[in-house]
Amino acid sequence: MATTEGLRERKKRQTRQHISDVATGLFLERGFDAVTIAEIARAADVSVNTVYNYFPAKEDLFLDRGEDVADRLSRYVRGRRPGESAADAVLRELRAAVVSQSPTVGLFAGWADFMRVITDAHALRSRLWAIQQEALAELTATLAKETAAADGDPMPALVAGQLSWVHGTLMAWIGAEMVKRRDIGEVAREALGLLDEMEELMGRKVLEYAVRAD
């Protein structure tokens, strides 16, 4: 029984990824607004209803990892090491992503084309903004829970704002440089320097907030 359920879930993941890949290819080729759900369904050899079953909104087909992005900083905080603060954990994870030239921070050759699609589509820009707001709210709630903050305590929101600023600034800077089609290694090296500068700008209260007990 467990094997059958595993195969079913795997099939669903493969179908979802296939639809997303087909849609992304069409969006990159023709632009987001020029492609319809019906065209995506035909190209993916599935029904329109199947597309909507996996992706409730057209924007989700392109920004298909929105849930992962919305929870990213919260995951970093929840996974912080003993003796490590929330800020330390976020900075460590972001530095690791930059060093490994991870696509999660925009360090891949196709980033310029990816951003062009977003820039040209108001719906995608709006959805990206909504994801960022979801991430901020999720991080605020995570920090409040991790520190057992009292109701009305402003610190979780204040620290979440600072950490979201670090993440957003890093992503925006990398995106701007990758749009210039610069060498990925050079952008990564400079991004590490940017992270160092942002860490220096953060105050002690932020850097020492939510330290995990040893």
Side-chain angles (χ1 to χ4, degrees):
M1 183 67 172
T3 301
T4 301
E5 290 177 349
L7 291 172
R8 186 182 301 117
E9 290 305 312
R10 187 179 306 114
K11 173 69 172 177
K12 289 171 64 176
R13 287 194 298 272
Q14 290 173 343
T15 300
R16 187 182 192 280
Q17 189 62 55
H18 172 64
I19 295 170
S20 175
D21 290 345
V22 169
T24 298
L26 290 172
F27 294 148
L28 289 171
E29 178 183 349
R30 296 166 49 197
F32 182 78
D33 294 328
V35 179
T36 67
I37 295 295
E39 289 174 320
I40 292 168
R42 284 197 298 272
D45 196 24
V46 298
S47 70
V48 169
N49 284 340
T50 297
V51 174
Y52 279 119
N53 284 340
Y54 286 97
F55 302 95
K58 182 181 175 184
E59 293 80 11
D60 297 328
L61 282 157
F62 194 68
L63 300 172
D64 61 322
R65 297 185 179 179
E67 291 183 4
D68 176 76
V69 173
D71 189 52
R72 179 183 295 171
L73 296 183
S74 289
R75 289 199 312 275
Y76 294 166
V77 170
R78 290 193 298 268
R80 68 196 186 285
R81 300 165 178 170
E84 192 173 50
S85 70
D88 289 338
V90 169
L91 288 165
R92 172 175 54 78
E93 292 282 2
L94 291 178
R95 286 189 174 104
V98 170
V99 168
S100 65
Q101 298 180 15
S102 171
T104 62
V105 289
L107 290 168
F108 65 97
W111 183 251
D113 297 324
F114 183 84
M115 285 304 299
R116 174 179 50 79
V117 175
I118 294 177
T119 301
D120 291 345
H122 174 74
L124 288 177
R125 296 197 304 274
S126 296
R127 177 66 183 125
L128 189 59
W129 180 85
I131 291 171
Q132 292 166 347
Q133 298 308 300
E134 291 171 20
L136 177 59
E138 178 68 21
L139 181 56
T140 299
T142 296
L143 288 170
K145 182 178 180 179
E146 292 289 314
T147 60
D151 291 342
D153 185 348
M155 284 303 294
L158 293 174
V159 174
Q162 288 281 295
L163 299 183
S164 295
W165 163 73
V166 170
H167 181 255
T169 300
L170 176 70
M171 294 292 294
W173 185 86
I174 288 176
E177 296 306 306
M178 292 303 294
V179 164
K180 301 173 186 176
R181 302 188 185 277
R182 293 184 56 199
D183 177 75
I184 296 176
E186 290 182 359
V187 174
R189 285 191 293 274
E190 292 178 19
L192 289 175
L194 178 64
L195 280 170
D196 289 342
E197 291 180 6
M198 286 191 285
E199 181 175 6
E200 290 179 6
L201 288 173
M202 287 192 288
R204 178 182 56 80
K205 282 189 176 182
V206 174
L207 291 172
E208 298 178 0
Y209 188 74
V211 175
R212 171 153 285 164
D214 292 331

